[in-house]
């Protein structure tokens, strides 16, 4: 374990406080991974820590009981946090952590402290909520995405009851700040096992990115609009992603209808991008429009063609423009 972090533990102990390495650094050490940082949980409160280490809290950490300690003689910072949720003992603190693999502590004299058998779950590559997954997710819904992230990054399976709670409580992610969600999503998508996670838990992803949620396309206009928005290849990928969700909810007919419409649109070589229009910027400038108005006119025409309000025909498009933008034409 990191000698600098152990110095902080010793100093807290010398002043009569419990202190332990906790969470990710202990988990990573047990997995043979070099920890990126070290966190310490202690019975000391922030005011006690300030006196012991002669330092100040950084940012908003103090209201959460957290102090960033600069170890004397080094440029190394250690995050030290009072036992969470008003806990008086280490076990109470570990009880309110997210998963068993993150609810393991270490002390140089006591060794590994593992009241919830997290070491066994690490060995078996299982992600399991501490005691009651639903309660842990209610404490902080972001833990739902953390479960997916750990599963994706480490290749661990999410234990059955924990997985059920992930699906049931996905909607509570609406209470979480968008920047926290974005950080977890980025790690999920950039991991090696992201495809499995996205296909096993599409409902969770839909709950935080509703714009890609499953939607009954009923006509070619909607197909064209999706392709215009996402691009052809991305829309095909989106359909596959949605298929996993629809299969689990007996909505296969929706998927098959969308694929059928997609094939028809592909066969027709439909207009779905500005470059597909039968007119171009020069045609529009010849009508007397200039600058930003040219782009606005092209966007207007694309929407009109996608919505089938006008055919993608050179003369018809220009006629529509003359009626719509006549006050701007010189």
């Amino acid at each position: 374990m990191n000698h600098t972090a152990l110095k902080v533990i010793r100093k807290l102990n010398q002043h009569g406080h419990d202190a332990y390495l906790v969470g990710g650094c202990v988990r990573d050490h047990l997995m043979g991974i070099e920890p990126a940082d070290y966190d310490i949980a202690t019975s000391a409160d922030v005011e006690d820590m300030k006196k012991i280490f002669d330092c100040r809290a950084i940012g908003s950490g103090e209201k959460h009981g957290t102090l960033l300690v600069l170890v004397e003689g080094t440029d190394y910072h250690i995050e030290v946090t009072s036992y969470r949720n008003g806990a008086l003992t280490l076990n109470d603190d570990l009880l309110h952590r997210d998963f068993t693999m993150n609810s393991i502590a270490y002390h140089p004299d006591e060794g590994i402290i593992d009241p919830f058998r997290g070491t066994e779950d690490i060995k078996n590559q299982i992600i399991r909520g501490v005691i009651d997954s639903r309660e842990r997710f209610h404490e902080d819904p972001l833990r739902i995405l953390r479960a997916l992230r750990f599963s994706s990054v480490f290749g661990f399976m999410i234990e059955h009851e924990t997985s059920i709670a992930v699906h049931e409580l996905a909607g509570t992610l609406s209470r979480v700040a968008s920047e926290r969600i974005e950080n977890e999503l980025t790690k999920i998508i950039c991991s090696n096992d992201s495809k499995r996670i996205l296909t096993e838990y599409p409902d969770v992803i839909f709950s935080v990115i509703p714009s890609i949620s499953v939607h009954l396309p009923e006509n070619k206009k909607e197909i064209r609009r999706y392709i215009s928005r996402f691009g052809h290849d991305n829309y095909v990928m989106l359909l596959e992603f949605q298929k996993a969700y629809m299969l689990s909810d007996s909505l296969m007919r929706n998927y098959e209808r969308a694929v059928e419409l997609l094939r028809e649109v592909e066969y027709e070589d439909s207009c779905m991008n500005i470059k597909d229009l039968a007119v171009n910027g020069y045609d529009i400038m010849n009508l007397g429009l200039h600058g930003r108005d040219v782009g606005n006119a092209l966007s207007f025409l694309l929407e009109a063609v996608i919505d089938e309000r006008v055919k993608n025909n050179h003369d018809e498009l220009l006629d529509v423009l003359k009626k719509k933008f006549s006050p701007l034409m010189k």
Side-chain angles (χ1 to χ4, degrees), residues 222-238:
E222 293 189 15
I223 293 290
R224 295 188 194 101
R225 190 174 300 282
Y226 270 112
I227 294 175
S228 177
R229 181 176 182 182
F230 297 113
H232 177 274
D233 291 346
N234 287 336
Y235 180 59
V236 172
M237 188 184 303
L238 175 60

Side-chain angles (χ1 to χ4, degrees), residues 217-228 261 265 268 270-272 302-310:
E218 297 178 352
N219 51 57
K220 297 174 189 176
K221 289 190 292 185
E222 293 189 15
I223 293 290
R224 295 188 194 101
R225 190 174 300 282
Y226 270 112
I227 294 175
S228 177
L261 290 170
V265 167
E268 293 170 354
S270 299
C271 174
M272 291 166 287
L302 178 62
E303 289 292 313
V305 171
I306 288 175
D307 283 342
E308 299 179 355
R309 287 181 276 121
V310 62

Side-chain angles (χ1 to χ4, degrees), residues 125-141:
Q125 300 188 334
I126 291 173
I127 295 169
R128 186 193 312 271
V130 177
I131 302 297
D132 185 339
S133 298
R134 290 170 179 79
E135 191 171 340
R136 302 289 80 78
F137 292 155
H138 277 299
E139 289 171 348
D140 182 1

Side-chain angles (χ1 to χ4, degrees), residues 94-280:
L94 296 177
L95 169 63
H96 291 285
R97 294 180 180 270
D98 50 11
F99 308 110
T100 58
M101 66 179 187
N102 294 331
S103 298
I104 308 171
Y106 173 82
H107 189 278
D109 296 334
E110 302 174 47
I112 293 292
I113 299 100
D114 183 15
F116 306 109
R117 303 175 71 177
T119 304
E120 183 178 331
D121 281 341
I122 289 175
K123 181 180 178 181
N124 294 322
Q125 300 188 334
I126 291 173
I127 295 169
R128 186 193 312 271
V130 177
I131 302 297
D132 185 339
S133 298
R134 290 170 179 79
E135 191 171 340
R136 302 289 80 78
F137 292 155
H138 277 299
E139 289 171 348
D140 182 1
L142 186 68
R143 290 171 170 175
I144 293 169
L145 285 183
R146 282 170 60 82
L148 270 57
R149 190 243 296 180
F150 287 131
S151 179
S152 186
V153 170
F154 295 136
F156 286 13
M157 294 296 107
I158 300 176
E159 177 268 335
H160 179 65
E161 289 300 320
T162 304
S163 181
I164 290 174
V166 165
H167 288 296
E168 287 183 355
L169 299 177
T172 63
L173 283 163
S174 62
R175 294 161 26 197
V176 180
S178 57
E179 58 270 19
R180 297 180 73 208
I181 287 176
E182 181 181 2
N183 184 47
E184 293 296 333
L185 272 180
T186 300
K187 292 176 181 177
I188 291 169
I189 293 170
C190 293
S191 66
N192 292 333
D193 213 10
S194 60
K195 182 176 180 180
R196 174 179 62 83
I197 293 299
L198 293 176
T199 53
E200 289 181 4
Y201 296 91
D203 52 327
V204 179
I205 306 303
F206 292 153
S207 72
V208 293
I209 316 179
S211 61
I212 65 168
S213 60
V214 173
H215 172 62
L216 311 166
E218 297 178 352
N219 51 57
K220 297 174 189 176
K221 289 190 292 185
E222 293 189 15
I223 293 290
R224 295 188 194 101
R225 190 174 300 282
Y226 270 112
I227 294 175
S228 177
R229 181 176 182 182
F230 297 113
H232 177 274
D233 291 346
N234 287 336
Y235 180 59
V236 172
M237 188 184 303
L238 175 60
L239 280 181
E240 289 300 315
F241 176 50
Q242 292 174 334
K243 178 182 178 182
Y245 176 73
M246 290 187 283
L247 280 172
S248 65
D249 286 73
S250 303
L251 297 173
M252 192 58 189
R253 286 193 303 274
N254 295 15
Y255 170 78
E256 291 172 345
R257 176 59 177 157
V259 170
E260 179 185 346
L261 290 170
L262 172 63
R263 287 172 180 162
E264 290 181 16
V265 167
E266 291 171 335
Y267 178 76
E268 293 170 354
D269 194 23
S270 299
C271 174
M272 291 166 287
N273 296 284
I274 286 177
K275 64 180 179 59
D276 298 327
L277 288 169
V279 297
N280 56 38

Side-chain angles (χ1 to χ4, degrees), residues 12 44-58 62 66-67 69:
L12 285 163
D45 61 28
V46 170
E47 294 306 314
D48 290 330
M49 288 188 268
K50 286 181 181 178
K51 294 173 185 176
I52 293 170
F53 296 104
D54 190 27
C55 61
R56 289 179 283 181
I58 296 176
E62 185 169 353
T66 298
L67 205 69
V69 173

